[in-house]
Amino acid sequence: MSTTHGYAARDSQSSLAPFEFQRRSLRECDVQIDVLYCGVCHSDLHQARNEWNNTIYPVVPGHEIVGRVAQVGPGVTRYKSGDLVGVGCLVDSCRTCASCAEGLEQYCENGFVLTYNGADRQSGEMTFGGYSTRIVVDEAFVLRVPDKLDPAGAAPLLCAGITTYSPLRQWGAGPGKKVGIVGLGGLGHMGVKLARAMGAHVVLFTTSPSKVEDAKRLGAHEVVISKDPAQMQAHANSFDFLLNTVAAQHDLNPFIELLKRDATMTLVGAPGHDHPSPQVFNLIFKRRRLAGSLIGGIAETQEMLDFCGEHGITSDIEVIPMQKINEAYERMLKSDVKYRFVIDLDSLRQ
Ligand code: NAP
Ligand code: ZN
Ligand code: ZN
């Protein structure tokens, strides 16, 4: 067991505050990681405030983790002390069902184990995430972070990166395809960078006029203010794929109308309240599709990290000390993030 310093929410109303707890002793295939950086995902906020009605308190959020291996269990073969590694949203799954066998652990039919607010498959204890100085994870769920990437900028790849990479690949983003990314937050800005690197024509949709120039700098070929019907109309029936990252309930119809025949809009944003049902005729007449997608499997997460290593892609970040997390949440709610907060865990080691 090892004493770990973290930040936890104790209930849905109060701010996150210091919390000391024990990490488990190393099992056969465990890797103990000193956390260097942890990204701040909007899911952390949804979960800390029980917006998905499934939070078990205290909760230590954080699933965009980059750190260095400090120690390994006797059966570990892939990692050694000093390696730069990452941990994303998952720390275990059943490893035997059809989805796990296909490398799609995020769709595990017997229940995956989330990095926080999950129940460990052996002990039943609740998992605690990366807003903490160290974490212990089975090597099968540890990722290798390319050494050439800045470790702080790489942290958001572990959730924002894979959550956008996986659907962009699944729905064939690439040369000759017109791809729209809806929302320029943590996920959205990674979606823009990744879709551009895959060779697609990228259009960014935002509600924030102040983000137009940034979106272009990040790689968007075109930017549309989604509240402006004339700008939206100019793109009617033209998209091969739309990736919707918006963290709040909104009307999906104006986006569905932008899809070509047979094209898909995939939702990855996971607001606390469902979107109103879209108009059925908008789907029927052009055989349009509405889909969803959850993070990505472990093998695909490694593929994404290697892709980012080759293309030099990291997140645009604002590094904060752990003590500023509550302020960061308030700013995230105001869409005032450029474009991901990343916690420097040294702030808890002093
Ligand atoms: P974020 O950084 O807060 O970005 C969300 C963006 O949505 C904002 O920057 C804003 O972009 C737009 N937005 C916010 N409120 C809006 C509103 N009322 N109407 C229209 N647009 C609005 O959040 P994130 O970390 O990227 O996460 C986005 C969502 O994805 C969250 O719900 C999160 O829980 C979810 N998520 C899902 C998965 C998955 O596996 N499916 C994984 C990770 C996260 P503009 O200012 O450009 O309009
Ligand atoms: Zn996340
Ligand atoms: Zn499984």
Side-chain angles (χ1 to χ4, degrees):
M1 303 275 270
S2 51
T3 302
T4 303
H5 301 282
Y7 258 53
R10 262 98 172 172
D11 58 63
S12 64
Q13 310 297 322
S14 29
S15 301
L16 272 69
F19 176 64
E20 205 179 279
F21 60 98
Q22 300 294 317
R23 289 291 184 192
R24 68 177 183 240
S25 306
L26 296 195
R27 297 174 186 153
E28 181 79 10
C29 295
D30 273 349
V31 175
Q32 183 174 313
I33 300 161
D34 286 336
V35 180
L36 298 174
Y37 297 101
C38 185
V40 178
C41 180
H42 206 114
S43 301
D44 300 345
L45 187 158
H46 290 311
Q47 200 86 72
R49 300 188 177 179
N50 197 23
E51 291 175 8
W52 295 335
N53 294 317
N54 66 356
T55 306
I56 294 174
Y57 295 97
V59 63
V60 177
H63 57 210
E64 293 186 336
I65 300 165
V66 167
R68 292 230 175 249
V69 175
Q71 239 184 303
V72 297
V76 170
T77 57
R78 293 185 228 174
Y79 299 101
K80 59 176 187 331
S81 180
D83 286 355
L84 188 66
V85 293
V87 178
C89 302
L90 300 178
V91 288
D92 205 356
S93 69
C94 87
R95 310 187 195 195
T96 55
C97 73
S99 294
C100 285
E102 279 184 68
L104 297 168
E105 298 87 355
Q106 76 276 33
Y107 303 116
C108 174
E109 286 142 42
N110 300 312
F112 48 67
V113 181
L114 292 169
T115 303
Y116 63 86
N117 202 50
D120 181 79
R121 292 181 72 85
Q122 290 185 35
S123 68
E125 284 172 17
M126 293 307 286
T127 54
F128 290 135
Y131 293 9
S132 65
T133 49
R134 65 162 67 97
I135 190 164
V136 175
V137 180
D138 186 302
E139 70 167 333
F141 286 78
V142 175
L143 287 309
R144 192 169 290 284
V145 176
D147 276 317
K148 61 178 128 167
L149 294 180
D150 165 48
L157 301 178
L158 277 306
C159 176
I162 184 60
T163 302
T164 48
Y165 182 92
S166 182
L168 286 168
R169 283 282 190 232
Q170 175 70 20
W171 279 277
K177 295 289 170 66
K178 184 174 173 183
V179 170
I181 307 289
V182 186
L184 194 67
L187 266 57
H189 94 291
M190 288 314 309
V192 168
K193 289 186 185 207
L194 291 167
R196 177 71 189 246
M198 289 173 189
H201 180 85
V202 183
V203 182
L204 183 275
F205 293 86
T206 182
T207 58
S208 310
S210 63
K211 294 181 183 173
V212 171
E213 288 315 310
D214 274 350
K216 290 185 180 156
R217 176 180 57 77
L218 293 164
H221 295 94
E222 299 176 65
V223 183
V224 172
I225 303 297
S226 53
K227 290 173 182 161
D228 179 343
Q231 286 191 42
M232 293 290 278
Q233 184 55 34
H235 289 273
N237 306 315
S238 69
F239 279 88
D240 295 289
F241 181 57
L242 286 172
L243 183 62
N244 188 326
T245 75
V246 173
Q249 187 186 52
H250 64 284
D251 183 3
L252 301 177
N253 290 304
F255 295 106
I256 291 173
E257 287 165 16
L258 306 186
L259 296 170
K260 283 180 178 170
R261 193 201 71 220
D262 288 324
T264 301
M265 174 158 78
T266 295
L267 307 178
V268 287
H273 298 281
D274 279 332
H275 307 299
S277 174
Q279 282 161 20
V280 174
F281 277 27
N282 256 343
L283 293 165
I284 291 177
F285 272 82
K286 290 197 181 292
R287 202 161 57 185
R288 291 162 169 146
R289 301 163 196 196
L290 187 59
S293 182
L294 180 66
I295 47 175
I298 296 301
E300 194 174 38
T301 304
Q302 189 61 62
E303 176 189 308
M304 175 277 308
L305 285 166
D306 296 342
F307 179 87
C308 289
E310 276 161 37
H311 292 263
I313 296 175
T314 52
S315 175
D316 281 32
I317 58 169
E318 181 175 337
V319 177
I320 56 165
M322 188 74 252
Q323 295 76 7
K324 294 260 187 214
I325 188 65
N326 296 302
E327 220 170 282
Y329 277 7
E330 290 313 311
R331 284 183 53 198
M332 187 151 69
L333 282 175
K334 287 189 238 152
S335 297
D336 175 25
V337 194
K338 295 199 166 155
Y339 279 88
R340 197 59 139 187
F341 291 114
V342 170
I343 302 160
D344 180 349
L345 270 307
D346 271 350
S347 58
L348 278 189
R349 286 196 189 90
Q350 287 149 11

